Amino acid sequence: MIAVYPGSFDPITNGHLDIIERAASVFDEVIVTVSTNSEKRPMFTLEERKEMLAEVCAHLKNVKVDSFTGLLVQYAQKTGAGVIVKGLRAVSDFQYEFEMAMMNRKLAPNVETVFLMTGAENAYLSSSIVKEISALGGAVSEMVPESVAYRMRQRLKEGIRRDEP
Ligand code: PNS
C-alpha cells in the first residue's frame, strides 16, 4: 500500500520526521509531498523544502519526496496511493483534520485518511512556532533536524524570504 503524507513542511520539524518514520514502518511506500499552494510567504522555497526532506529521510528507503499542486485527493489517485497519512498532536488538531478527512472522502471515497499520533515529546511542535522561536533568537536544535537548524540560521542571516509564493 502506498501512502501520501502531505504538508507545507516550511520547514520539516522533528514532529514531521516522527510521523514519516512511523508511516514508513506501516506502509510499503510513503510519498512525502509538499503542497505548493499553502503559505504566501514561506521561509524556504519549494526546492529547499524538498531538499531538506530528502536529506533527513535519506535513511528511510521506502520514502520518496515530491510536491503537488491542486487537490490532494487527485494527487493521491494519480500516484496510486490508497491512504493519506496525517499526524495528530493534540485534540486541538482534530476538528480541522476531521473536516478535511470527511471532505477528502466525499471527493474520493477510495482514498482513506489514516491518523498517526506523534510521540509525546513532539506534541507541542509546529513549523510556525519553530520559525517564531528561531526569528526571535531562540535555539531550535532540539525541535528540528540539525541540517534544518543550520539552514534556518543561514536564512535568518540573509533575512527571511519574502519573494516566493
Ligand atoms: O502542513 P500543513 O500546512 O498543515 O498542510 C496542509 C495541507 C497541504 C495538507 C492541506 O492544506 C491540503 O491538503 N491542501 C491541498 C488542497 C486540498 O486538497 N484541499 C482540500 C482539503 S479538504
Side-chain angles (χ1 to χ4, degrees):
M1 176 75 77
I2 303 174
V4 291
Y5 177 45
S8 306
F9 303 110
D10 184 45
I12 178 172
T13 67
N14 289 344
H16 294 129
L17 187 55
D18 180 8
I19 296 294
I20 295 167
E21 286 172 343
R22 289 173 199 278
S25 71
V26 173
F27 298 103
D28 299 313
E29 185 180 330
V30 178
I31 307 173
V32 182
T33 190
V34 186
S35 168
T36 58
N37 47 351
S38 50
E39 284 181 78
K40 286 208 180 83
R41 290 178 175 180
M43 183 171 192
F44 294 101
T45 67
L46 176 63
E47 281 314 311
E48 287 170 331
R49 285 182 263 166
K50 288 173 71 176
E51 272 171 31
M52 286 186 276
L53 280 164
E55 280 166 21
V56 303
C57 295
H59 63 296
L60 300 165
K61 298 303 168 207
N62 60 339
V63 172
K64 285 203 295 199
V65 177
D66 195 13
S67 56
F68 75 105
T69 306
L71 283 178
L72 176 61
V73 286
Q74 283 177 356
Y75 173 82
Q77 286 170 327
K78 195 183 75 186
T79 53
V83 167
I84 294 168
V85 168
K86 289 296 194 76
L88 279 185
R89 289 165 298 193
V91 182
S92 50
D93 283 338
F94 182 77
Q95 179 69 33
Y96 179 57
E97 291 297 342
F98 182 74
E99 278 169 25
M100 276 202 288
M102 286 299 162
M103 203 47 85
N104 283 333
R105 176 179 284 165
K106 202 174 178 69
L107 294 169
N110 57 335
V111 179
E112 282 298 338
T113 300
V114 169
F115 292 101
L116 297 176
M117 313 306 151
T118 53
E121 68 280 16
N122 297 319
Y124 58 91
L125 272 184
S126 71
S127 296
S128 47
I129 283 185
V130 169
K131 280 186 280 193
E132 181 165 334
I133 291 170
S134 164
L136 297 175
V140 295
S141 51
E142 285 178 22
M143 303 170 197
V144 296
E146 183 42 46
S147 58
V148 174
Y150 175 78
R151 284 192 194 233
M152 292 185 85
R153 287 193 294 271
Q154 295 302 110
R155 183 52 38 92
L156 284 166
K157 278 187 207 157
E158 298 162 9
I160 303 271
R161 299 178 51 82
R162 300 224 180 270
D163 56 344
E164 188 178 306

